[in-house]
Amino acid sequence: MEAANTGEIQLRHVEKDVLIPKMMREKAKERCAQKVEAFNHCCKETGFFMVFKCREENAALKECLTIHYKDPAFFELCKQEYIQEKLEFERTGVPTKNRKQKVPTSM
């Protein structure tokens, strides 16, 4: 992709509307780790009745995640990280997930 006159990387619709929000969801779950853990623990403890018994934990988790989803600075942070990963992929041809997993091994 060519950069625009402003030096800004041009992102496709799928990148702006699908891939960056996916990254935001993953990072928001990390930032809300305590709420995620509390909700998961409640669900494991209550089983079938989790829908009724874990409303408080679910509401706290949703609130935490929503704060991040609606934060323009958080979107920009994820967008910049996505762009860096994209540029690195274009430069190396190695997807980010493969790059992070590969560790040099001795033969």
Side-chain angles (χ1 to χ4, degrees), residues 8 23 28 41-42 57 64-65 73 76 79 89-90 93-94 106:
E8 177 76 13
M23 179 182 277
H41 179 73
C42 180
E57 292 83 354
C64 183
L65 294 173
E76 191 59 32
K79 178 178 147 187
F89 173 74
E90 289 173 355
V94 180
S106 54

Coordinates of all heavy atoms in Angstrom, one line a residue, residues 8 23 28 41-42 57 64-65 73 76 79 89-90 93-94 106:
E8 N 0.5 9.3 6.2 CA -0.3 8.3 6.9 C -0.5 7.1 6.0 O -0.7 7.1 4.8 CB -1.7 9.0 7.1 CG -2.7 8.1 7.8 CD -2.5 7.9 9.3 OE1 -1.7 8.7 9.9 OE2 -3.1 7.0 9.8
M23 N -7.8 -6.6 17.6 CA -6.7 -6.3 18.5 C -7.1 -5.5 19.8 O -6.6 -5.8 20.8 CB -5.6 -5.5 17.7 CG -4.4 -5.1 18.5 SD -3.2 -4.1 17.6 CE -2.4 -5.4 16.6
A28 N -7.9 -5.2 25.4 CA -8.8 -4.8 26.5 C -9.0 -6.0 27.5 O -9.1 -5.7 28.7 CB -10.2 -4.4 25.9
H41 N -14.2 -17.3 37.0 CA -14.3 -18.0 38.3 C -15.8 -18.2 38.7 O -16.2 -19.3 39.1 CB -13.6 -17.3 39.4 CG -13.6 -17.9 40.7 ND1 -12.9 -19.1 41.0 CD2 -14.4 -17.6 41.8 CE1 -13.2 -19.5 42.2 NE2 -14.1 -18.6 42.8
C42 N -16.6 -17.2 38.6 CA -18.0 -17.2 38.9 C -18.7 -18.3 38.0 O -19.5 -19.1 38.5 CB -18.7 -15.9 38.7 SG -20.4 -15.9 39.1
E57 N -20.6 -9.8 38.1 CA -19.3 -9.9 37.5 C -19.3 -9.6 36.0 O -18.4 -9.0 35.4 CB -18.8 -11.4 37.7 CG -18.4 -11.7 39.1 CD -19.6 -12.1 40.0 OE1 -20.8 -12.1 39.5 OE2 -19.3 -12.6 41.1
C64 N -15.8 -2.5 32.1 CA -14.3 -2.3 31.9 C -13.9 -2.4 30.4 O -13.2 -1.6 29.9 CB -13.6 -3.4 32.7 SG -11.8 -3.3 32.6
L65 N -14.5 -3.4 29.7 CA -14.2 -3.6 28.2 C -14.7 -2.4 27.4 O -14.0 -1.8 26.6 CB -14.8 -4.9 27.7 CG -14.2 -6.2 28.3 CD1 -15.0 -7.4 27.8 CD2 -12.7 -6.3 27.9
A73 N -8.0 7.2 22.2 CA -6.5 7.0 22.4 C -6.1 5.6 22.3 O -5.1 5.2 21.8 CB -6.1 7.7 23.7
E76 N -6.2 4.5 18.7 CA -5.0 5.0 18.0 C -3.8 4.1 18.4 O -3.0 3.8 17.5 CB -4.8 6.5 18.4 CG -3.8 7.1 17.5 CD -4.1 7.1 16.0 OE1 -5.3 7.2 15.6 OE2 -3.1 7.1 15.3
K79 N -4.1 0.9 16.6 CA -3.9 1.2 15.1 C -2.4 1.3 14.8 O -2.0 0.7 13.9 CB -4.7 2.5 14.7 CG -4.5 2.9 13.3 CD -5.3 4.1 13.0 CE -4.6 5.0 12.0 NZ -5.3 6.3 11.8
F89 N 5.6 -7.1 8.6 CA 5.3 -8.3 7.7 C 5.7 -8.0 6.3 O 6.2 -8.9 5.6 CB 3.8 -8.6 7.8 CG 3.3 -9.6 6.8 CD1 3.6 -10.9 7.0 CD2 2.6 -9.3 5.7 CE1 3.2 -11.9 6.1 CE2 2.2 -10.2 4.8 CZ 2.5 -11.6 5.0
E90 N 5.4 -6.8 5.8 CA 5.7 -6.4 4.4 C 7.2 -6.5 4.2 O 7.7 -6.8 3.1 CB 5.2 -5.0 4.0 CG 3.7 -5.0 3.9 CD 3.1 -3.6 3.7 OE1 3.8 -2.6 3.8 OE2 1.8 -3.6 3.5
G93 N 8.0 -10.7 5.5 CA 7.2 -11.8 5.0 C 6.8 -12.8 6.0 O 6.2 -13.8 5.7
V94 N 7.2 -12.5 7.3 CA 6.9 -13.4 8.4 C 5.7 -12.8 9.2 O 5.9 -11.7 9.8 CB 8.1 -13.6 9.3 CG1 7.8 -14.6 10.5 CG2 9.3 -14.1 8.5
S106 N 19.3 -24.9 19.1 CA 20.6 -25.4 18.7 C 20.5 -26.8 18.1 O 19.6 -27.6 18.5 CB 21.5 -25.4 19.9 OG 20.9 -26.1 21.0

